[in-house]
Structures are given as C-alpha cells and as structure tokens.
Amino acid sequence: MINVEDWAEIRRLHRSEGMAIKAIARQVGVARNTVRAALAADTPPKYERKPAGSRVDAFEGQIRALLAQTPTMPASVIAERIGWEHSASVLRARVAQLRPLFAPADPADRTEYRAGEIVQCDLWFPAKIVPVSPGVMAAPPVLTMVAAWSGFIMAVLLPSRTTGDLLAGMWHLLSGTLGAVPKTLVWDNEAGIGQHHRLTVGARAFAGTLGTRIYQTRPRDPEAKGVVERANGYLQTSFLPGRTFTSPADFNTQLEEWLPRANQRTLRRTGTQPGLQVGNDAAAMMDLPPVAPSVGMRDRVRLGRDYYVRVLGNDYSVDPTVIGRFVDVTAGLTEVAVTCAGQVVAAHERCWDTRRTITDPAHVTAAGVLRQTYRGRSAAVSGPAAKAGAVVGVRALSDYDDLFSLTPPTAAAEGTGRHLEIVR
C-alpha cells in the first residue's frame, strides 16, 4: 500500500505532466497496477486494520433483543440477563453503542432568548469553607441567577435551601441588583420551589405578588437552563480558588465585589459584555411590585416559660415579659426578629449553624427580675409558714358523720369525740 505522498505524486504526474502509467511507475518505483489504483482512487489511501473482535460479539444478539424490548434497561441488568461474567466496562461500552439504535432521540433545540423574558435560577454548592460558628465549617448554598438574554450574573450565599430562604434570596437579587422582574423565572426541581411541576405555597404566593411565572424544567434536563449552569461552573473555577472566608457575611462581601468584574467579560454567545447589556434587559422587564412579597420564615407561637423560640434548628431568646402571649417570628437572611402586638421583643443576628442557643443578656436579666417578683408575690399570698412543732386541730370525725347522715359503726364511737392531731 502506498502512502499519501506517493498517491499525490502519481496523480500530479499523470494530470499535470501527462506522463504515461509505465513512466510514472518507473519514476515513483511502484508497480503499474498500483499506479492505476492510485489514479482510480478519489480519496487518499488510508490504512484500516481489521477488527480483532471482542468477547461481547457473541452476546450482541441477546443485547439487541433486550434493548428492543426495554431501551432503558441498565447495563448491569443486561449483564445479569445474558450471563455476562467478564469485564463490566466492555459490556457497558457495547450497550452504550447499541442503545441509541432502540431508544427514541430527545434532541435539545438551540434556544433564542429575548430581552426581559427569562432569568434562570440554580443553586451552587461550594466546598465546606465558610465558618458558621467557632470551629464549624459549612457549605451553604449559593443562589445564582442569570438574565438569559444579557448573561448578567447575580449571586448570594443563603443560610439554607428552604422555601423561605430561596424566596428571600430571589427577592434580594431582583430588587437590590436587577431592579426589575422578568416574565419567567426558570428553576429545576428544587424541593423548596416545588416538585413534579407543583409549586410550593410560598413560591406561588411569591410569583403572584411579582406578577411573574416560575417554570420548573423536567428532571435531568440541565440543557433547559444551560446559561445558569455555565455560570455556576464559572463561579467554581474563577471566584472560589485561593479565597478564604471568615464568615458568611465575608463570603457575600467578596462575592459582591467580584461580580462586577465577572460581568465585564465578553460572552462568546452574545459577543458583548453582560454589564453593558443588562440595562436593556431590565428595561424590557416588569417593574417591581409596590408591595414587597412575603419572604423568609414566618411563624406565630405562644411564648413558653423558658422564653425561647426555635427557628430552623436554633433557639433564640425573647423578652420574658410576653410569656404566655402569642409572638410573631420572622427569619430573614441575616436576622431573626420577634414581635408581640406589633412591638419588637427580640432581635438577633441569624445563626447559620444548627443546635445553637442564642441569648440576649438583657432577656436573662429581665427574667431574673420577674422571677424574684413572682416569688415575693407567692409568699405574700400564702402567708407565713407554720412553725415546727405547732399543733393543728382537726374537726371530729363525728361531725362528718352528721354532715353526710352516716351511721357510726358502733354506739360507743358516738361519744368518743374522735379527732386527730397533726404535728408539724
């Protein structure tokens, strides 16, 4: 078999120089039949080695039959059905090669975005590098939101992935960073937003207040929100390396300082900088609602004697003067507030750890004063305590017999004047 250089030279000599086959064979040093074959071939010669075969070839018919019946059958199940006892990787490779012949295709069309239409949302989970309490490192979720048309990235670290925190994070970015509301917010099947295309009550109320729509993609369909998925990867590779954080607030501060530079890069998809296009994107969106939506965690409980309320795994102290009354508990991204009849009775910085007790010293002092007052009042009501050894008289038992018209068991008992003496 000749190489590509000889093939090209043979064709040049014949076409350009007009040389005969015999002369070309003599000059190149090949047989005349080789020259004829080179002139008849329109493509360069290519060496192709005959496949050596594989052990799985003998099972291919059975594999095809199983895939024709159940295209989604896992390779492990196929191995069990056909009695495969060799390398699992070899079987998986053949199953992956044959499965597209039986499984229906699910193509993903290229999406074209319009200004003001879509903001994609997702959670990014960095490593455990954020200290949430002394000696405790955690990996809280980062809410990432990207305006699809302009590619503008927004992000904030959240205490948890509960519904209240997710809604609070979205409102924080939409109202504080973007300043507008898109027509559609795209999410995956995040439990705090909803599952099986049924939104949580909080998410439905949030969308209704903003006048927008929350759309959840199908399971295992990352292409539907590829813009925000790429933004998460960009945060992982460009923001996180080499950084250390002292607290969740420090993480958000560094992230807020970095995002403007990230939005100044030129996107290959749009050919422009997101920071320059976000104004046009926001202008095509809706205005913020006149009334802010209800976000965060809200609850109403009756304050117990220990004057603490539990919020997402932590206990926060409350002014003990409202013990026994209903209090309204509100937990935002950074603080926990408790009110009673519209009056603030507790305000704490939110703890991002769990199983912690957060106490205001003023509440402990107030509880001590109330406890002393209660003890003094109880002593005044009960009167002085009886002295040791005092004799306390008790009515005769015959008086109770007369009261309830009871007949004494014996006549001798009537004049005994039964009575008891209790000595303290």
Side-chain angles (χ1 to χ4, degrees):
M1 182 178 181
I2 62 174
N3 54 33
V4 178
E5 289 77 5
D6 290 341
W7 173 81
E9 180 65 11
I10 291 172
R11 294 176 65 86
R12 185 190 70 81
L13 293 175
H14 180 72
R15 291 176 176 272
S16 300
E17 304 296 334
M19 294 180 62
I21 293 178
K22 184 176 180 180
I24 296 175
R26 188 183 306 111
Q27 180 171 338
V28 178
V30 296
R32 283 176 287 183
N33 289 337
T34 303
V35 175
R36 294 187 182 96
L39 295 176
D42 294 329
T43 58
K46 180 180 180 182
Y47 174 74
E48 294 182 358
R49 184 177 181 180
K50 184 179 180 180
S54 174
R55 287 179 176 178
V56 75
D57 292 341
F59 299 88
E60 183 169 325
Q62 302 179 51
I63 297 173
R64 286 175 176 270
L66 292 174
L67 291 177
Q69 183 180 3
T70 308
T72 59
M73 182 177 292
S76 58
V77 178
I78 294 178
E80 181 182 354
R81 298 285 179 85
I82 66 177
W84 180 259
E85 298 178 352
H86 307 288
S87 173
S89 61
V90 174
L91 179 64
R92 286 198 300 267
R94 182 61 61 89
V95 172
Q97 180 182 356
L98 296 177
R99 194 186 302 277
L101 303 178
F102 303 93
D106 183 20
D109 293 334
R110 182 64 61 87
T111 304
E112 297 292 338
Y113 299 104
R114 292 194 296 267
E117 287 285 336
I118 292 176
V119 167
Q120 296 183 5
C121 312
D122 197 16
L123 293 180
W124 167 53
F125 294 91
K128 290 187 177 182
I129 56 175
V130 181
V132 294
S133 61
V136 178
M137 307 295 285
V142 175
L143 172 62
T144 308
M145 300 177 65
V146 182
W149 182 76
S150 62
F152 186 77
I153 302 176
M154 304 167 284
V156 62
L157 186 70
L158 302 180
S160 71
R161 57 197 301 184
T162 58
T163 300
D165 287 339
L166 293 177
L167 299 181
M170 285 195 292
W171 176 245
H172 171 77
L173 296 178
L174 291 177
S175 61
T177 304
L178 190 59
V181 178
K183 297 179 180 179
T184 304
L185 295 168
V186 177
W187 270 94
D188 56 13
N189 282 267
E190 179 65 33
I193 299 298
Q195 288 184 320
H196 309 295
H197 293 280
R198 182 173 179 83
L199 300 178
T200 62
V201 175
R204 292 198 300 268
F206 181 82
T209 304
L210 269 62
T212 187
R213 174 196 180 199
I214 297 180
Y215 171 78
Q216 288 192 290
T217 64
R218 295 178 302 170
R220 298 176 296 277
D221 188 16
E223 292 86 359
K225 53 183 185 64
V227 175
V228 70
E229 293 285 356
R230 288 191 292 272
N232 285 340
Y234 183 61
L235 288 169
Q236 181 71 37
T237 58
S238 299
F239 167 73
L240 202 58
R243 292 182 181 268
T244 58
F245 310 98
T246 59
S247 64
D250 181 47
F251 185 100
N252 277 329
T253 299
Q254 295 190 39
L255 181 60
E256 186 177 355
E257 294 174 351
W258 177 83
L259 282 174
R261 297 196 302 272
N263 286 317
Q264 290 176 358
R265 75 194 194 285
T266 300
L267 295 183
R268 181 172 63 88
R269 175 174 61 89
T270 62
T272 59
Q273 299 178 11
L276 300 178
Q277 290 292 331
V278 66
N280 298 329
D281 207 353
M285 297 182 184
M286 299 177 292
D287 295 332
L288 296 173
V291 178
S294 177
V295 297
M297 195 281 293
R298 297 176 182 271
D299 193 13
R300 166 169 283 198
V301 297
R302 189 185 296 273
L303 187 63
R305 288 183 58 198
D306 63 346
Y307 59 92
Y308 280 82
V309 294
R310 178 156 294 181
V311 180
L312 299 173
N314 296 312
D315 294 330
Y316 298 84
S317 67
V318 181
D319 190 344
T321 57
V322 295
I323 288 177
R325 301 174 62 183
F326 280 103
V327 295
D328 296 308
V329 184
T330 304
L333 296 179
T334 59
E335 63 177 11
V336 174
V338 184
T339 60
C340 180
Q343 181 180 0
V344 178
V345 292
H348 298 275
E349 182 181 355
R350 181 169 175 180
C351 178
W352 288 36
D353 199 2
T354 56
R355 295 181 293 276
R356 297 289 179 177
T357 300
I358 297 89
T359 303
D360 188 339
H363 296 161
V364 178
T365 303
V369 174
L370 292 175
R371 192 176 302 110
Q372 293 294 333
T373 303
Y374 175 80
R375 290 175 178 175
R377 184 179 303 171
S378 300
V381 172
S382 60
K387 297 181 180 180
V391 178
V392 180
V394 182
R395 297 177 66 91
L397 295 181
S398 59
D399 294 341
Y400 296 100
D401 294 338
D402 296 338
L403 178 63
F404 295 101
S405 301
L406 300 177
T407 303
T410 60
E414 295 180 358
T416 57
R418 295 172 295 174
H419 65 278
L420 297 176
E421 291 184 355
I422 299 177
V423 179
R424 292 185 177 177

